[in-house]
Amino acid sequence: MERLRPEDDYFLRCDSARTPMSIGALQLYDAPAGEGGSFFDAVCEHLERRLPATPLSRIRRHAPDEFDSDVWCDVSRVDLAKHVDRAEGPLDRDGLYRLVEQVSMQQLDLSKPPFHVHVIDRIEGGGSALFLRVHHSVADGIGFQNLMRELTDDSADAPRVAAPVRLDEEPPDHETWLAESTDRFEREAREQEAAKPARAQAREAVRNFNEDPAHYKIKPVRLSRTRESSMARRYETLDLSLSRVRAVGRALGGTVGETFLTIVSGAVRRYLSDAGELPDAPLVCIGARSNRRPEHGPYGNRIMNLYISLATDIEDPLERF
């Protein structure tokens, strides 16, 4: 049994039919048709073997009266018939992308283990695909990459974790849970009291930083097309050469991330300019930064928000970089 951390609980509380809190990955495979059974059967057999070593073989249980955080409880076996769908094929690339648009906005049923898989046996032109969705309360971006590596990496040097023998867990009864939570609340209160001086010092440092004129604040820009998001989504892809992006960043004394942001900001700048809506002030995007450390483990959410200037007000790409 594992108690949800506040960041994990946040994504559960944000989850609704209009704002489904799932993250996903579309993967394409060179899977020849008619060799050793269908791709769908192979995926199901593979998941049976790999799922017990991941945080997907568990189910959410509610704390009585909401006096404590909810918990994840292990399940001995996942009924894949309720978690794996087979899409009718063959699909062309456009049909595949439209499928992703449709299912990505479907809310996951959290009365069951927190994932769903859509399998496409055949793609026009050859190959197969699967689209895996996982609830955001299970993992952030890096946690999701760790999960995908655990599910799919068959290379000789892949770090493999032996699948544990899982039993069906049940949370403690109401009285036991209440007593254990009360003890923990009291211990945490003492720890927070001891940390007060350090927290006050940190708040003062932040206040001084924000009041320094050198640390200017960018005012938000509101475009005429700014409005509430609808339920419609558009899924498209663009191939970029990682080696070229890395080479550019290295030549300019920067990173892959900084090069990527420069490319994105240039595209946004061109798009707004063509629409006659390029603002004088730079657009600011919200980006997630991981604060995961080894002791945090491979899963769960360990992220904080950064507000990043895209420098869309700067025309020259080198200066913008």
Side-chain angles (χ1 to χ4, degrees):
M1 190 174 77
E2 181 181 340
R3 186 165 54 92
L4 274 78
R5 300 183 62 258
E7 293 95 324
D8 304 333
D9 184 72
Y10 168 81
F11 288 108
L12 287 171
R13 293 180 183 274
C14 289
D15 189 84
S16 71
R18 188 169 181 81
T19 57
M21 289 288 114
S22 59
I23 53 179
L26 175 65
Q27 294 194 322
L28 307 181
Y29 291 88
D30 293 323
E35 293 188 12
S38 71
F39 181 67
F40 178 85
D41 293 335
V43 168
C44 291
E45 292 172 6
H46 187 82
L47 289 175
E48 286 278 8
R49 295 193 304 271
R50 292 291 182 93
L51 280 175
T54 74
L56 299 182
S57 291
R58 57 188 186 181
I59 195 167
R60 174 194 182 192
R61 300 296 189 194
H62 296 284
D65 303 327
E66 293 192 343
F67 65 77
D68 198 357
S69 301
D70 292 344
V71 296
W72 294 115
C73 286
D74 286 350
V75 295
S76 58
R77 185 176 180 275
V78 176
D79 183 359
L80 291 180
K82 298 178 180 179
H83 290 270
V84 185
D85 289 342
R86 191 175 198 167
E88 294 293 333
L91 294 179
D92 60 14
R93 186 60 63 94
D94 185 68
L96 181 62
Y97 286 6
R98 303 297 81 82
L99 173 68
V100 171
E101 292 169 2
Q102 176 187 352
V103 302
S104 63
M105 293 303 291
Q106 295 174 357
Q107 192 176 15
L108 289 171
D109 181 359
L110 291 178
S111 67
K112 300 181 293 190
F115 75 99
H116 205 91
V117 181
H118 301 266
V119 178
I120 302 89
D121 261 330
R122 289 188 299 155
I123 300 174
E124 287 188 2
S128 304
L130 66 82
F131 181 50
L132 169 67
R133 291 188 300 134
V134 174
H135 199 272
H136 211 321
S137 59
V138 175
D140 54 21
I142 290 180
F144 186 76
Q145 292 179 48
N146 292 332
L147 172 64
M148 292 303 297
R149 187 179 303 111
E150 188 59 44
L151 281 175
T152 63
D153 196 340
D154 273 327
S155 60
D157 58 350
R160 293 292 301 119
V161 177
V165 177
R166 289 180 179 262
L167 303 175
D168 288 322
E169 284 187 315
E170 291 295 335
D173 59 73
H174 190 134
E175 291 74 17
T176 302
W177 199 338
L178 177 60
E180 292 176 350
S181 298
T182 301
D183 289 343
R184 194 183 75 253
F185 294 157
E186 292 175 351
R187 182 178 67 254
E188 290 175 349
R190 292 192 296 270
E191 293 171 351
Q192 290 176 8
E193 185 66 27
K196 271 187 175 181
R199 291 166 67 89
Q201 185 177 10
R203 281 195 296 270
E204 180 66 19
V206 170
R207 186 160 44 247
N208 292 337
F209 181 92
N210 288 333
E211 292 174 355
D212 187 339
H215 305 139
Y216 74 100
K217 292 181 175 63
I218 301 174
K219 294 183 178 181
V221 175
R222 188 171 184 86
L223 306 175
S224 66
R225 64 192 62 212
T226 301
R227 59 182 62 90
E228 182 181 354
S229 296
S230 72
M231 289 290 288
R233 292 295 181 269
R234 183 74 177 176
Y235 181 80
E236 298 291 347
T237 61
L238 174 68
D239 292 332
L240 290 176
S241 167
L242 179 59
S243 61
R244 291 184 64 190
V245 172
R246 181 179 287 117
V248 170
R250 188 180 297 118
L252 297 176
T255 65
V256 168
E258 289 161 347
T259 308
F260 177 75
L261 282 176
T262 305
I263 295 170
V264 169
S265 64
V268 171
R269 177 184 168 85
R270 269 197 311 276
Y271 175 79
L272 293 176
S273 180
D274 290 346
E277 281 203 60
L278 181 63
D280 294 332
L283 293 185
V284 177
C285 70
I286 298 178
R289 183 185 188 278
S290 174
N291 58 4
R292 186 179 301 278
R293 296 191 294 273
E295 61 266 27
H296 293 156
Y299 305 117
N301 287 273
R302 296 284 181 172
I303 53 177
M304 58 185 179
N305 282 342
L306 296 180
Y307 296 88
I308 306 167
S309 169
L310 290 180
T312 48
D313 55 325
I314 301 175
E315 181 177 7
D316 181 77
L318 292 179
E319 183 182 351
R320 194 182 324 123
F321 180 92

